[in-house]
Structure formats: C-alpha cells, structure tokens
Amino acid sequence: MTGLRPGLEPRQDEIAAMMASATSFVTDFIGNLDTAPLNGLAAPGTAGPSDDVAALLAPPAEHPGEFGDLLQVFRTAAEQSADTAGPNTFAYFPGGGLFTAALAELLACTVNRFTAASSMAPGLVAMEHGVIHWFARQFGLPATAGGLITTGASTGALSALLTARRRLLGDAPYDNSGTVYVTTHTHLSVSKAARIAGLSPDQVRLVPVTDDLRMDADAATRMIEADRAAGKHPFLIVATAGTTDTGAVDPIGRLADTARAQNMWFHVDAAYGGGFQLTARGRAKLDGIDRADSIALDPHKSMFFPYSSGVLLVRDERLLHAAHSADAPYLQDMDRGTPLPDYQDLGTEMSRGYRGLRLWLPLHLHGVAAFRAALDEKLDLAESVHRALADLPELDVLTPDLTVINFRLRGGEEINRTLLETIHADRRVHLTSTRIRGEYTLRLCVLNHRTHRRHVDQVISIVRDAVRTVTAATAAAGAR
C-alpha cells in the first residue's frame, strides 16, 4: 500500500490494508518459529550491525511513510535479537507469548479505555478483577484477597514491600531499622525494590541456604531474633517459589510459620513457579502458599502470556489500598464509591493500559484445562531431560523441582564454557548458564508452550553429542 493520507485517522480501507499486511506478518512469523534462527545478535565483542542500527536510530520524517516499508524495518529489527518465542529456546525463562493474548492487546489498545478508575470503565474493570479473583482462588487465598495485573513480579515486589512496611512499621518517615530477609537465590527484583523504597543494602539480610539451595528456615529464625535483639525491626521475609538459578522452591510452609511467629509479612515470589499451581504436582511443590500475605507471579513465564503480564495478589486488598491510595482535586468527578477497585489506588501506576483483556481472553477462549495440560506437558518433558542428562556419567546434574535443569561437566569453568559454546555451535537450540556456589553451571529450562517432545529429544541429542565432543577433545589435549 502507499503512504497514508495526511492526518492521524486512517480511512477504513487503509486500516484494512494495514491489518492485512500485519496478519500476513503474524502468520508467517508464528508458522516459521520451528525453523527460525535462534539468535540474530552479534557475537560478543563484535561491533554488530552498525549500518542497521544507524538506520533504526533515524528520526521520523515530516511526511507520511509507507506501512509496508515500516513493517519491514520492524521485521529486520526483530530478526536482530535472541529468539524467546520459538520452541527450541531453553534459555532463561522462555516467553512464548500466546497469539490470543496479542490479539487481546490489539483490541484493548484500539478501544483505549481508562481502567485505573473503575467508574470510567466498570465493565472492563469487572472483567479484569474477575481474573484477579480467579487467581486468588487458585492459591487458596481468602475472600478478602485482591490485587492487580502488573507489568511483572518486579513491580509486584515493590508494592508488596511498600504494603508490608506500612502495615508493620507505620507511615513514613522510616529509619534504617526495618529489615528484609532473602537468600542469594532470591530474584534481584526484591533487592532492587528495597533500594527504590529507600532501604540501605544492610537492611536486606541474606539468609543462608540449605544443601539443596533453599532458604534455611531455622537460620532465618535465628537471624530475625538476633536482629530484633539488636534493635532492628524485621518486617518482611521473602520465599521463592521457583528460583531463577535452579528453579528450587523454598520451604514455603515453614517460612510461613516463621513469619507468623515473628509477626512479619510473608511474601512469596512465584514469578516462575506460580503458574504450576494449576497442576497437582505444582500444588504439592508450592504447599503452604495459601498462607502468604502477598504473592507475585508472572503469567508471562509459566502461563505463556506475552512479556509485561504480571499479577500481584494480596491476602487483604485493603492493606494494598492503604499503602498506595492518593487523591487530588481533579479526581473529584470520579465516583470513588463503586464496589469495584480503582487500580490507581492499588499500585504505583496512575494511568495504565487495560492489561486485563490479555489474560481474560485466552483464559476464557482456550479454557483453563488447556493451560493445565500444557504445564503438565512441560513438567513431563523436564523430567525426560533430567533423566537423559543424569544418565551421562560425565555430568553432574541437579534434580529439578519444576522445569529448570542444571548440569555441568567436571573439570572447572573453562570446560563448561566450551560445552555451552559447542551446544550453541549450529544454532539449533539456545541454553544459558549461571553460577551455583560459585561454579559455572549450564542451565536449561523447558517452559515454552510451543516446545514438545521432538524439540526436547533434539536438545538432549545435541547436549549428549556436545558432551562427547568436549570430553574427547579434553582427553586428547591431556594426552599430548
């Protein structure tokens, strides 16, 4: 199609033509994910696609552009990235991104309703809050529970911390006596939230972990009691339901006991593991999460939604409101007495997009059973990967709680770096690494809804061949 007519409102025929081009792009993109290159990024240490970057940095022109040309620019830019949507991605937490959620986002952005205040769009807020209440029921929270859809567990952690501090330490100003308890495997978003909230680094206390890399509940109790005796005010303990490094689930029930005994707020970071609550195996792993004061989860991880799909649940929604609500004269025309929540009073944002539809539509369209089946499939596939890698005598392999598998060759960091490079050599699969007790360790996560048995069989074969190649080369080098 040619450039649009001047102005900001396309004609209906122009909208139809742009939608047709976008539809073609979407269907081709999703249809080719199985065979698409996994990494369009420049190799580390190289200059990268400088000509393309320079073009992408160009300012907009004064006159209308051509949609097809601009779509091609976007296509090229998207190709210069690590694939997070395809079935052969096992890096970090793969974010497959449901198409139906993307469709919902188009609809939500098109109507562009203001949903931060329920009186402005009561029907849409009711749909969104229905999703929140459904999540609260899945985690066994009481009828007083509520929350909001966030951009992710990071903003959820900040709101939970602010709510916990106000509940237990009162209103500002705050001194440096309030303390938060985490481990080295707690997601960095918690310490970042503490920093944003004005806590100093020494107010974030590192609890030791047990041999299986979970928070040591007994050590937490001893630290809390010692800190209180020293004049500090412990107010928040954070359990992780699926750590980023290993996928380990902290002893949620025991830590809930600690929090109650110590009169502290108990927050569960279920960013990764929360979706598995829909399955019987997941509920068993997350036992005790119904006792949390707040839960942050990322449906863009273990429920396959697009990035920026987070949920914060709080046991008593009134406490969330008390920590975040604000008012101003220009809001006086809004009805603040509706039975539905004003999301601007439950989180850090005032203006916000209508995130509810991106969760509401797929859940109602596909049905909950489809999500449960996909999650059970990922648990099964992860067990297959673990069994296959544990059978390789050259590898040390950690037993997974959920779908993260950690493994390494014996012999130190260099050989394991070489192993990861060898796995990536033909660019058919993508893994990542981390450090566990200081040791360089490979990490494989089965999570994408598009990942199935054939993809897992392929990654097992690639890892197995890479192990043989690297160990053979190392043995040959040692023999020289």
Side-chain angles (χ1 to χ4, degrees):
M1 62 177 290
T2 59
L4 299 179
R5 64 174 180 171
L8 297 177
E9 193 66 66
R11 298 188 307 266
Q12 289 188 349
D13 63 306
E14 292 175 326
I15 293 173
M18 287 189 287
M19 290 293 292
S21 296
T23 297
S24 178
F25 168 82
V26 170
T27 53
D28 287 348
F29 175 81
I30 294 177
N32 294 325
L33 278 172
D34 214 333
T35 56
L38 282 172
N39 195 341
L41 298 174
T46 64
S50 56
D51 293 340
D52 290 334
V53 169
L56 295 172
L57 290 171
E62 282 292 319
H63 304 291
E66 202 282 314
F67 181 74
D69 293 341
L70 299 174
L71 183 59
Q72 183 56 45
V73 172
F74 169 71
R75 186 197 308 268
T76 301
E79 289 170 352
Q80 297 170 11
S81 61
D83 177 25
T84 53
N88 296 305
T89 297
F90 302 92
Y92 304 109
F93 290 122
L98 291 170
F99 164 71
T100 48
L103 179 60
E105 195 73 355
L106 170 64
L107 298 173
C109 289
T110 298
V111 301
N112 197 36
R113 297 300 192 248
F114 186 81
T115 58
S118 60
S119 62
M120 296 286 288
L124 297 180
V125 171
M127 292 167 67
E128 183 163 347
H129 215 56
V131 172
I132 293 294
H133 280 182
W134 175 79
F135 272 112
R137 290 194 298 273
Q138 302 312 303
F139 287 96
L141 297 180
T144 56
L148 72 165
I149 297 174
T150 68
T151 58
S154 297
T155 53
L158 176 59
S159 285
L161 188 150
L162 295 174
T163 305
R165 182 171 64 178
R166 187 185 186 279
R167 171 66 170 168
L168 292 167
L169 303 183
D171 288 315
Y174 300 104
D175 59 24
N176 63 354
S177 64
T179 46
V180 176
Y181 297 81
V182 300
T183 76
T184 55
H185 294 284
T186 303
H187 195 269
L188 62 85
S189 61
V190 176
S191 60
K192 183 175 180 178
R195 186 171 73 249
I196 293 170
L199 276 66
S200 60
D202 62 351
Q203 290 178 263
V204 180
R205 309 282 281 133
L206 285 179
V207 179
V209 296
T210 55
D211 290 342
D212 56 6
L213 304 175
R214 309 172 205 282
M215 182 181 282
D216 187 328
D218 292 332
T221 298
R222 290 192 296 269
M223 288 181 66
I224 292 165
E225 291 177 345
D227 285 345
R228 184 171 283 116
K232 297 188 179 298
H233 294 93
F235 73 94
L236 174 64
I237 185 167
V238 180
T240 304
T243 62
T244 303
D245 287 323
T246 69
V249 177
D250 285 334
I252 297 173
R254 291 197 62 199
L255 293 171
D257 291 339
T258 299
R260 293 295 173 266
Q262 299 293 332
N263 190 32
M264 295 173 65
W265 187 279
F266 182 43
H267 177 68
V268 178
D269 178 0
Y272 158 52
F276 290 99
Q277 181 73 4
L278 296 180
T279 71
R281 282 173 286 182
R283 286 193 299 275
K285 292 288 186 182
L286 274 58
D287 184 45
I289 199 168
D290 59 310
R291 300 170 62 194
D293 293 299
S294 55
I295 302 169
L297 62 146
D298 279 343
H300 61 231
K301 293 186 174 76
S302 53
M303 287 185 69
F304 322 118
F305 285 88
Y307 290 127
S308 197
S309 301
V311 171
L312 173 64
L313 303 173
V314 176
R315 189 173 200 84
D316 187 342
E317 186 178 87
R318 294 170 300 179
L319 302 180
L320 196 63
H321 183 279
H324 292 84
S325 62
D327 210 346
Y330 62 81
L331 298 175
Q332 65 186 14
D333 296 330
M334 290 184 178
D335 181 2
R336 306 301 289 271
T338 70
L340 295 167
D342 288 343
Y343 293 124
Q344 64 191 13
D345 290 334
L346 300 183
T348 59
E349 296 175 296
M350 296 294 288
S351 298
R352 64 191 293 274
Y354 179 45
R355 299 192 190 99
L357 194 65
R358 63 160 63 186
L359 273 68
W360 184 92
L361 181 63
L363 284 167
H364 284 268
L365 183 63
H366 299 296
V368 176
F371 288 88
R372 183 178 299 110
L375 289 165
D376 272 322
E377 180 194 25
K378 304 318 153 201
L379 290 167
D380 290 341
L381 294 176
E383 289 177 4
S384 297
V385 174
H386 175 256
R387 286 194 301 270
L389 298 188
D391 283 343
L392 297 178
E394 302 92 342
L395 292 179
D396 290 327
V397 184
L398 296 183
T399 300
D401 267 352
L402 296 169
T403 64
V404 174
I405 298 98
N406 301 98
F407 61 97
R408 60 176 169 245
L409 284 168
R410 301 176 195 93
E413 181 165 331
E414 183 177 350
I415 192 173
N416 282 288
R417 284 186 178 277
T418 302
L419 176 61
L420 185 58
E421 292 169 0
T422 305
I423 291 169
H424 286 163
D426 62 8
R427 299 177 65 189
R428 285 184 291 164
V429 297
H430 186 198
L431 280 61
T432 45
S433 66
T434 187
R435 290 186 183 275
I436 300 175
R437 296 193 180 92
E439 293 191 74
Y440 186 97
T441 302
L442 277 68
R443 180 186 177 283
L444 185 158
C445 181
V446 183
L447 198 59
N448 195 314
H449 66 286
R450 299 183 176 104
T451 299
H452 303 297
R453 173 66 59 180
R454 68 182 184 277
H455 305 108
V456 161
D457 288 344
Q458 175 178 257
V459 76
I460 290 171
S461 176
I462 290 172
V463 172
R464 185 183 292 121
D465 290 346
V467 167
R468 291 170 179 164
T469 298
V470 172
T471 54
T474 301
R480 288 199 291 269

